[in-house]
Amino acid sequence: MNRLRMEFEKGPEVAFVSHLELMKLFAQAVRRGDLPLAWSEGFNPRPKINFSSGIATGMTSREECLEMELTEVIDPQDVMNRLNQTLPPGVRIHRVRKLEDNPKSLMALLQYGDYRVTVPLEEIIPARELEEQVRLFLARESVLWTIRSPKGIREKELRPGILALQARLEPQQLVLDWMLKSGSEGNIRPEHATEAFLEHSGHRAAGPLQLDKRAVYGERDGQPTKLFDL
Amino acid sequence: MKEYILNHILPRVEKPVRYAGGELNHIRKDWASVDVRFLFAFPDVYEVGMSHLGLQILYHTINREDNLLMERTFAPWMDMEALMREEGIALYGLESFQPARSYDWLGFTLQYEMSYTNILNMLDLAGMAALAGERTEEDPLVIGGGPCAFNPEPIAPFFDLFLIGDAEEMLPRLLQEYARQKKEPGFSKEAFLQSVCAMDGVYVPRFYDVTYGADGRMAHLKPNRPQAPATVRKALVKDLETAPFPEQPIVPYMDIIHDRVMLEVLRGCTHSCRFCQAGTVYRPVRERSADLLTRQAKTLIKATGHEDISLTSLSTADHTQLTQLVRNLLDQYREKNVSISLPSLRIDSFSVGLAREISSVRKSGLTFAPEAGSQRMRNVINKGVTEEDLFKVVEEAFGAGWNRIKLYFMIGLPTEQEADLEAIVSLSQRVLDRGKQIARQRGSRQKVSVTFSASSFVPKPFTPFQWWGQNDLETLQAKQRLMKSKIKNKNLVFHYHDARLSQLESVFARGDRRLAPVLLRAVQKGCRFDGWNEHFRYQLWLEALEEEGLDVRALASRCFEKDEVLPWDHIDAGVRKSYLYREYQNAMEEALTPDCREVGCTACGICPDWNVQMELKGSPHE
């Protein structure tokens, strides 16, 4: 068996591709590259490509992780090069490594996500005031956010999942860099955190939020570590 | 504009990937470097349009010419349309995000009569006048093609021209001619149209005047320019083997209706089913060879990475080299998890044996189309299949492990009686019973189910039934209720569609130019996506018809006399009108007409009149 872990980018050209469509996209690229992808057994064989989590529709991602199993041993660099030739515009693999024994799945290893949210603004916020709003926001013990889903309305506690927030102003937009809890043990969505901050600070977005995931992390010795490197 | 759409509009709509473009194998050219810019407009949403093989064929055919460019656009869904209107964003091409009005040509494919409202709506979203007569030299030329172009009269006033028949050879020729003329001084759209209106397949509606008699029937449809021919011959690609096919189809990100490689294995059909328009207008039968198709499959899988190859045509099981083709493909792809599918199966054991070979591990349902429940009715429509044939086939299917069978029928066929309707249910029930019996014998405990669907028959131009009037609405609805009431078993599932939609389809399928104002009113009232159940507004259609002084019942159920002028008489699809009428009479006598491929010429006329012949690559099956 040949298990490879790859770090790839989902660029602006494919921002609107959903997660399921992204999975299909990779399977097709593998087939175009004539790579010997492993398939699951059973009634409905699926390609053995796994991700750490779904990337939301509309979100770009700089350093996303996936794992792929091939039925033959092929030089990882070779696999990466071949895939980069067949992948569609906007998707690119940056790093690849071979996995030795049976590590935990990416989904299980995922702990944090680093997100950059760009908020279009019509108002002007003085830099001092913004600093203060961030400080007050992070000083709160509780940040409750109302989530509407097909299952109904519920309140979610966001604060413990917010590890860091940095904010800066740019012409006509506010840029928020979040470090948020991510994965199966708890997941904070950057849109929710952002909307909660905007409500807290009394500002309104003048248009849709732009979401860009900049990195994914697991944990080693209690420290956030890039998922690829685990 | 692109940035604004991507950042400010798309995040606010459902399935934004419909409007983003950028797919693998899309083609972007520098606008300044080409002579002609053509925008292909599919009048339904992205995921429906991207399943259309015609789009991929023409996209490839036009774009491979260095001086031509083709881009795509689709009907925006309601949420996107609302935002576009609110923010003043015009319909745009997915490749360059340029507004539709800035292209030289705007082409619509006419797949279905009930997509016409979307066409008019898209013209509006493009900022163009609906009527061709109100558009200027600054507007693109608007062209229509596809199956409904064989009766284009209801939408004729909205188009500058139609291309009737096979488009892949004629369209590039038209565009190159346009490119050449455009560079000459004194160029005008009128002069261009005059110069091309006699070419095969080209129909310029404004070059023809229509008059009506006092009784409301059509009296004449005649040319008003010397260059315009009295009869428009369809465009015909004689040699499918050398005709262009898309070597690098665009691969949508989105899960579309048919996410697969489509290999067109043949065009045309000789079964002569009397309800079928495609069988008539796509004659003669022309096959591609198994060798060519095998090579094409390889190219297409390499370019796309799709999981499935669909062998597509009107009746794939008739291909004379099908066994060889399927063996080749299985050999090539068995190890690679690429499956092969046939869209539908002929009712004979050859087909099931074939299906067995090609089905992947998972056996999804098998589909058969008996079309009618009683032998008498099947003879009327010339679908000579017997019950014995059907049972032999379903027994093989059940015996081989299939648990789900789908059966397609029609109701509202000419001469239909209650007994014929009961026969549909009874036949489906007996297929289910047989299936359960066989499953028991096999020791299988999986549930056996039979789904049968009955669409309401719509008489179409260029068929033997083109003179016959559709059942009225109440009759169709009563027939649907009757069949529902006869179902005893919960594993027998009945699907049917809104008969009111079929009624309107009938109005437009055999309609004339007097329907154009009705369409305009319907669109103004808000009709769009009529083919989508949740958006079909029958009341608004009735209003639109009434406001034009027209009666939906009279139009949908109209009978034409034998020698009456039909709104499509000026179009020559190859098959003689006299042959169609003879077939109509044969239908009334329940007489069968054999397949000319097997028994010899049945004198439809196309081969002698057009000096063409069937192109079969192997020898006909026994």
Side-chain angles (χ1 to χ4, degrees):
Chain A
M1 278 307 121
N2 189 24
R3 256 177 88 181
L4 300 176
R5 183 180 287 169
M6 301 183 193
E7 192 180 78
F8 70 93
E9 175 182 351
K10 179 195 175 196
E13 297 90 325
V14 284
F16 297 108
V17 170
S18 75
H19 186 66
L20 284 176
E21 289 159 357
L22 191 70
M23 288 166 61
K24 183 180 75 156
L25 178 165
F26 269 99
Q28 288 172 337
V30 167
R31 187 173 284 113
R32 287 193 293 271
D34 228 349
L35 288 164
L37 183 64
W39 286 68
S40 65
E41 316 274 304
F43 215 49
N44 192 14
R46 297 316 309 152
K48 285 191 167 181
I49 304 177
N50 299 298
F51 295 79
S52 57
S53 65
I55 311 168
T57 306
M59 192 183 295
T60 47
S61 187
R62 310 285 173 123
E63 292 175 6
E64 201 58 55
C65 271
L66 68 77
E67 278 171 7
M68 186 182 292
E69 200 174 308
L70 303 177
T71 56
E72 288 165 34
V73 176
I74 304 184
D75 173 55
Q77 285 298 315
D78 195 18
V79 174
M80 182 172 98
N81 293 336
R82 272 155 81 170
L83 275 178
N84 277 336
Q85 283 183 341
T86 60
L87 282 168
V91 188
R92 200 159 172 76
I93 301 172
H94 293 299
R95 293 199 281 171
V96 64
R97 53 183 265 242
K98 187 162 151 63
L99 296 174
E100 298 310 326
D101 37 23
N102 258 349
K104 284 166 77 172
S105 74
L106 283 174
M107 249 190 289
L109 291 171
L110 176 67
Q111 294 291 331
Y112 310 106
D114 176 352
Y115 301 92
R116 172 161 292 177
V117 181
T118 306
V119 185
L121 273 187
E122 268 159 5
E123 24 176 324
I124 302 189
I125 314 175
R128 255 321 134 68
E129 191 184 307
L130 182 63
E131 258 176 59
E132 185 62 11
Q133 286 163 349
V134 171
R135 194 186 65 74
L136 287 172
F137 183 76
L138 292 175
R140 282 165 65 165
E141 280 186 4
S142 161
V143 175
L144 285 176
W145 191 246
T146 311
I147 298 184
R148 275 169 199 77
S149 77
K151 298 184 215 163
I153 300 182
R154 60 187 175 97
E155 292 240 296
K156 185 164 175 169
E157 175 59 74
L158 303 182
R159 185 60 190 91
I162 298 173
L163 276 74
L165 168 61
Q166 282 180 321
R168 73 169 188 285
L169 287 156
E170 284 181 0
Q172 304 208 298
Q173 60 193 25
L174 172 64
V175 178
L176 302 175
D177 285 336
W178 297 94
M179 187 71 141
L180 299 173
K181 188 93 182 72
S182 218
S184 43
E185 291 166 28
N187 194 56
I188 306 293
R189 285 169 54 172
E191 319 84 282
H192 295 162
T194 302
E195 282 157 21
F197 176 73
L198 289 175
E199 192 188 76
H200 156 94
S201 56
H203 299 305
R204 270 192 49 206
L209 306 178
Q210 265 176 62
L211 305 165
D212 186 26
K213 197 193 300 188
R214 292 146 56 72
V216 286
Y217 295 90
E219 219 166 45
R220 181 187 282 145
D221 304 326
Q223 289 303 312
T225 309
K226 291 257 174 101
L227 200 58
F228 180 82
D229 298 316
L230 278 180
Chain B
M1 167 143 104
K2 179 175 178 178
E3 281 307 301
Y4 186 80
I5 293 174
L6 291 179
N7 294 333
H8 289 265
I9 305 287
L10 298 195
R12 292 148 72 188
V13 300
E14 226 181 83
K15 304 187 188 173
V17 75
R18 285 168 170 159
Y19 315 105
E23 311 95 316
L24 184 76
N25 296 333
H26 79 279
I27 295 172
R28 280 208 60 180
K29 292 187 183 180
D30 174 11
W31 274 42
S33 74
V34 298
D35 294 326
V36 186
R37 295 165 292 244
F38 188 109
L39 182 61
F40 186 109
F42 192 95
D44 208 319
V45 290
Y46 178 89
E47 58 265 39
V48 174
M50 284 306 293
S51 312
H52 177 50
L53 180 58
L55 184 161
Q56 303 271 23
I57 295 175
L58 291 180
Y59 192 80
H60 163 87
T61 305
I62 301 302
N63 277 323
R64 72 178 181 172
E65 317 249 327
D66 287 329
N67 66 328
L68 304 180
L69 169 155
M70 179 179 275
E71 299 190 357
R72 305 155 295 147
T73 192
F74 301 87
W77 193 243
M78 329 291 250
D79 58 347
M80 178 65 171
E81 179 188 338
L83 277 180
M84 286 169 76
R85 288 190 188 279
E86 212 176 280
E87 310 231 7
I89 294 175
L91 189 70
Y92 60 89
L94 281 186
E95 283 76 358
S96 63
F97 280 71
Q98 290 299 317
R101 198 157 176 248
S102 61
Y103 292 74
D104 301 299
W105 289 67
L106 180 56
F108 287 94
T109 180
L110 311 170
Q111 294 292 313
Y112 176 42
E113 294 84 352
M114 299 315 287
S115 69
Y116 291 171
T117 49
N118 282 355
I119 293 176
L120 294 189
N121 195 35
M122 287 167 80
L123 280 171
D124 188 49
L125 281 170
M128 292 163 63
L131 290 169
E134 289 176 10
R135 296 195 288 259
T136 69
E137 289 294 306
E138 269 68 58
D139 287 299
L141 273 169
V142 179
I143 183 173
C148 297
F150 280 93
N151 177 26
E153 289 307 298
I155 47 173
F158 309 118
F159 283 81
D160 294 303
L161 70 166
F162 294 93
L163 184 50
I164 302 173
D166 299 330
E168 64 262 70
E169 283 172 358
M170 204 54 215
L171 187 62
R173 276 179 43 202
L174 264 180
L175 299 184
Q176 290 295 7
E177 182 55 29
Y178 177 86
R180 198 187 60 72
Q181 287 188 26
K182 198 170 86 149
K183 297 179 185 150
E184 309 286 319
F187 172 81
S188 73
K189 291 199 304 194
E190 169 78 18
F192 168 72
L193 291 172
Q194 280 184 20
S195 74
V196 300
C197 67
M199 288 166 86
D200 273 355
V202 178
Y203 171 52
V204 180
R206 77 174 66 123
F207 292 173
Y208 297 80
D209 293 328
V210 194
T211 53
Y212 307 95
D215 57 2
R217 296 176 203 257
M218 222 167 99
H220 300 297
L221 192 155
K222 288 213 286 243
N224 58 37
R225 305 264 201 295
Q227 301 90 340
T231 304
V232 176
R233 274 171 56 121
K234 71 176 182 188
L236 176 68
V237 164
K238 287 200 181 171
D239 184 10
L240 213 57
E241 192 83 350
T242 54
F245 80 98
E247 296 186 27
Q248 296 193 298
I250 302 173
V251 183
Y253 295 122
M254 199 176 176
D255 247 341
I256 62 173
I257 314 291
H258 295 301
D259 215 355
R260 48 171 70 133
V261 158
M262 295 215 258
L263 262 191
E264 187 186 8
V265 305
L266 65 96
R267 211 172 276 187
C269 181
T270 46
H271 288 293
S272 284
C273 300
R274 294 177 179 133
F275 53 85
C276 178
Q277 180 189 64
T280 306
V281 303
Y282 289 113
R283 288 190 181 194
V285 170
R286 295 149 283 160
E287 293 182 351
R288 286 194 161 108
S289 69
D291 280 341
L292 176 67
L293 290 168
T294 308
R295 287 198 307 273
Q296 285 182 354
K298 198 158 177 197
T299 305
L300 291 168
I301 293 285
K302 182 100 192 107
T304 61
H306 279 312
E307 280 188 341
D308 191 82
I309 301 174
S310 173
L311 305 181
T312 189
S313 75
L314 291 175
S315 184
T316 298
D318 289 330
H319 194 289
T320 53
Q321 294 186 321
L322 188 62
T323 315
Q324 184 193 334
L325 175 62
V326 168
R327 294 256 158 78
N328 291 351
L329 294 176
L330 285 174
D331 286 341
Q332 228 164 254
Y333 294 111
R334 202 186 313 265
E335 308 302 309
K336 304 201 176 158
N337 262 294
V338 174
S339 60
I340 297 156
S341 62
L342 302 182
S344 63
L345 297 174
R346 200 173 59 182
I347 299 178
D348 68 3
S349 16
F350 169 76
S351 284
V352 180
L354 193 63
R356 222 212 221 96
E357 273 194 73
I358 70 177
S359 74
S360 43
V361 173
R362 189 155 178 234
K363 284 188 158 66
S364 49
L366 273 188
T367 303
F368 300 101
E371 305 294 9
S374 65
Q375 193 59 50
R376 188 198 74 78
M377 198 68 250
R378 283 194 293 272
N379 292 351
V380 168
I381 63 179
N382 204 40
K383 194 117 188 192
V385 156
T386 64
E387 237 181 61
E388 211 186 298
D389 294 330
L390 179 64
F391 273 96
K392 205 155 156 246
V393 140
V394 299
E395 276 164 20
E396 247 196 74
F398 286 127
W402 270 282
N403 295 315
R404 281 158 39 210
I405 301 273
K406 251 198 318 211
L407 299 172
Y408 284 145
F409 294 97
M410 274 181 289
I411 58 168
L413 291 165
T415 77
E416 188 175 74
Q417 310 282 326
E418 204 171 289
D420 301 307
L421 299 167
E422 287 170 356
I424 292 177
V425 184
S426 136
L427 182 61
S428 307
Q429 181 66 57
R430 282 179 290 128
V431 167
L432 177 63
D433 291 339
R434 194 80 189 94
K436 279 158 60 166
Q437 195 180 42
I438 293 175
R440 261 197 312 270
Q441 282 167 5
R442 249 179 42 231
S444 160
R445 287 199 293 166
Q446 288 189 304
K447 192 178 82 160
V448 172
S449 71
V450 169
T451 302
F452 71 101
S453 72
S455 41
S456 297
F457 174 59
V458 175
K460 295 277 177 171
F462 295 105
T463 64
F465 293 148
Q466 64 185 3
W467 290 273
W468 188 80
Q470 189 190 45
N471 281 180
D472 64 50
L473 181 61
E474 292 72 25
T475 305
L476 288 173
Q477 290 169 332
K479 290 184 175 184
Q480 289 170 338
R481 283 195 301 271
L482 173 69
M483 294 198 330
K484 259 186 17 192
S485 72
K486 299 277 173 189
I487 298 174
K488 305 287 182 238
N489 190 309
K490 71 174 186 333
N491 288 329
L492 188 62
V493 179
F494 177 37
H495 284 157
Y496 60 97
H497 305 289
D498 193 338
R500 301 171 306 169
L501 189 61
S502 307
Q503 185 193 43
L504 283 174
E505 197 186 314
S506 183
V507 167
F508 283 94
R510 296 179 310 148
D512 57 51
R513 275 190 208 185
R514 289 172 292 186
L515 286 174
V518 174
L519 263 173
L520 266 175
R521 283 183 189 272
V523 176
Q524 277 153 13
K525 288 173 190 292
C527 292
R528 19 192 144 311
F529 291 106
D530 306 287
W532 294 68
N533 216 310
E534 65 268 35
H535 296 294
F536 175 51
R537 311 275 295 280
Y538 184 65
Q539 269 314 117
L540 296 179
W541 279 102
L542 288 186
E543 273 173 38
L545 282 157
E546 242 173 73
E547 286 166 19
E548 288 297 318
L550 295 171
D551 175 14
V552 68
R553 302 165 62 93
L555 291 174
S557 306
R558 70 197 295 189
C559 284
F560 289 105
E561 311 267 311
K562 178 181 179 194
D563 296 309
E564 196 172 331
V565 173
L566 303 173
W568 51 92
D569 271 345
H570 59 296
I571 295 170
D572 182 5
V575 171
R576 295 178 190 153
K577 194 174 174 185
S578 55
Y579 170 81
L580 293 176
Y581 198 79
R582 187 169 22 106
E583 276 296 287
Y584 184 36
Q585 290 172 315
N586 286 340
M588 296 304 128
E589 288 159 28
E590 299 168 22
L592 287 172
T593 297
D595 186 329
C596 65
R597 192 181 340 208
E598 279 158 26
V599 150
C601 177
T602 52
C604 77
I606 191 171
C607 293
D609 294 347
W610 286 47
N611 194 23
V612 292
Q613 60 191 37
M614 268 190 279
E615 280 294 322
L616 302 180
K617 297 300 177 183
S619 49
H621 295 309
E622 56 280 337

